[in-house]
Each structure stands twice: as structure tokens, then as C-alpha cells.
Amino acid sequence: MSHNTIAINQRMDKFDGHHRVWLFGYGSLIFKADFPFIERRPAHIDNWTRRFWQGSHDHRGTETAPGRVATLVPQEGARCAGMAYLITPEVFAHLDHREKNGYLRLAIDIHFEAGGSEEGLVYIATEDNAAFLGEAPELDIARQIASSRGPSGANRDYLVDLAHALREMGLDDPHVFEIEQHLAQLD
Ligand code: SIN
């Protein structure tokens, strides 16, 4: 089931009046930056971990056969590494549409790998959204991803492109890499 979050996100006024806002990306926002940005920096956020627990009915699956995409789940002491983008507020119209299937903007401290930190925004699909699928063994997640496709392409490409991007950044993510391995064996 889809759950359109555009209206809720548009009411988010935390950074009103700011000419530039930092956005933290941890999923497709790492490997598919289809929006203008002023600069980007490798970064991380604390106490969140990346999981393929969110259903995708609009990008990598369909209403009847959802795919699985990344969201963040809270985990004390965890660190999620990704890419931070400095953007102008106009870009949020595009991002709210792209992330509309359950993702909400959340204000968060973004720590840059080169040093320093800034408060910014991240899109998170929490467990109470209608498209949330939740925990499953990595092999089952791989099977679902292998058989899913949506308007943005094969679900497999999302997982593989993310795994490649993380590797290129020198990052480890056992959850993502295990699903990638299962996918390769399913081929
Ligand atoms: C993100 O990448 O930061 C959000 C989830 C996604 O669009 O894949």
C-alpha cells in the first residue's frame, strides 16, 4: 500500500528562511543524485542503521508486488555512513515527490568525514508508515528484490548500485553486502 508523505513533508518548517540546507543520503540518494547540489561530502549520522525494510510500490516495485528499498532504523551506538549534499530549499519539491512512499523529513546532526558537523535533513521511512515491510532474513530480502521491478527499474539495480557506491566510498555494510551476495547466487 502506498502512503503519500508529500503534504506532511511540505509542512516541515524547521529550515524555513535558510538559503542552503544539508541533506544526508544513505540509499538511492547516494548513487542517484538527480537534483542540483552545491557540494557533496562523505558523512555519517549516529544511532541509525541502514536496512532494506521499506516497501517500494512506486519506484522498484508495484502496488501489488512491492520491492524492497533502504530505510533507517534506530540503533543505539550505530553509525550510518553515506553522502551529504548541500542544496537550496527549492530542491525539496523534487525530493518530497521522489521520497513520497512513506519517507518523512527528519532533522539530524550530520557529521562530515573530513571534520565538522551541521544540522540537516534526512528522509526516513519509519515502521509506522503503510509501506513498511519490516525485518526479514537477508536471503528472503534478496529473493524479493530479485523478482521485483517498478517504474524506476529493477529492484536488483538499486541494491547492486548502492553496494558498489558504498564500496567505492570505502564503506562496509554487512546487511547490504550479504543481500548482494545472495542476489549473485540467485542469478
Ligand atoms: C536516501 O537515499 O537517503 C533515502 C532512501 C532512498 O531514496 O533510497
Side-chain angles (χ1 to χ4, degrees):
M1 198 210 305
S2 66
H3 176 73
N4 192 322
T5 52
I6 290 178
I8 303 172
N9 280 327
Q10 282 173 347
R11 286 198 293 273
M12 215 272 191
D13 57 4
K14 166 95 185 160
F15 291 96
D16 277 6
H18 290 227
H19 299 297
R20 292 177 152 85
V21 182
W22 281 98
L23 166 75
F24 179 76
Y26 57 88
S28 66
L29 290 177
I30 296 181
F31 64 83
K32 191 180 175 190
D34 61 350
F35 51 88
F37 56 86
I38 298 151
E39 63 164 298
R40 69 176 153 193
R41 297 184 196 169
H44 67 267
I45 58 174
D46 289 327
N47 301 316
W48 293 93
T49 194
R50 182 170 21 235
R51 289 287 179 261
F52 272 76
W53 291 2
Q54 174 67 3
S56 178
H57 305 76
D58 57 343
H59 284 298
R60 303 290 176 161
T62 62
E63 280 294 328
T64 49
R68 271 189 183 256
V69 289
T71 186
L72 296 177
V73 295
Q75 188 183 317
E76 197 57 37
R79 164 181 289 204
C80 178
M83 190 64 81
Y85 300 88
L86 185 61
I87 60 175
T88 57
E90 299 79 57
V91 180
F92 282 106
H94 168 72
L95 292 172
D96 287 347
H97 184 264
R98 173 172 162 168
E99 305 296 327
K100 68 183 182 309
N101 194 31
Y103 292 85
L104 292 173
R105 298 187 209 167
L106 185 81
I108 196 130
D109 286 330
I110 302 173
H111 305 279
F112 305 114
E113 305 308 356
S117 66
E118 292 277 354
E119 192 178 26
L121 287 171
V122 60
Y123 284 87
I124 295 181
T126 55
E127 63 182 4
D128 54 0
N129 87 86
F132 192 77
L133 294 176
E135 186 169 6
E138 275 78 3
L139 178 56
D140 292 351
I141 293 177
R143 286 199 180 106
Q144 184 172 353
I145 288 174
S147 65
S148 299
R149 166 175 285 279
S152 297
N155 200 174
R156 182 184 203 291
D157 292 345
Y158 179 112
L159 186 289
V160 169
D161 289 353
L162 177 59
H164 285 172
L166 293 176
R167 218 172 272 119
E168 263 183 15
M169 292 171 72
L171 299 172
D172 186 22
D173 190 319
H175 171 73
V176 175
F177 293 162
E178 189 181 335
I179 299 169
E180 185 193 33
Q181 236 176 4
H182 287 310
L183 266 177
Q185 281 158 8
L186 289 170
D187 279 347

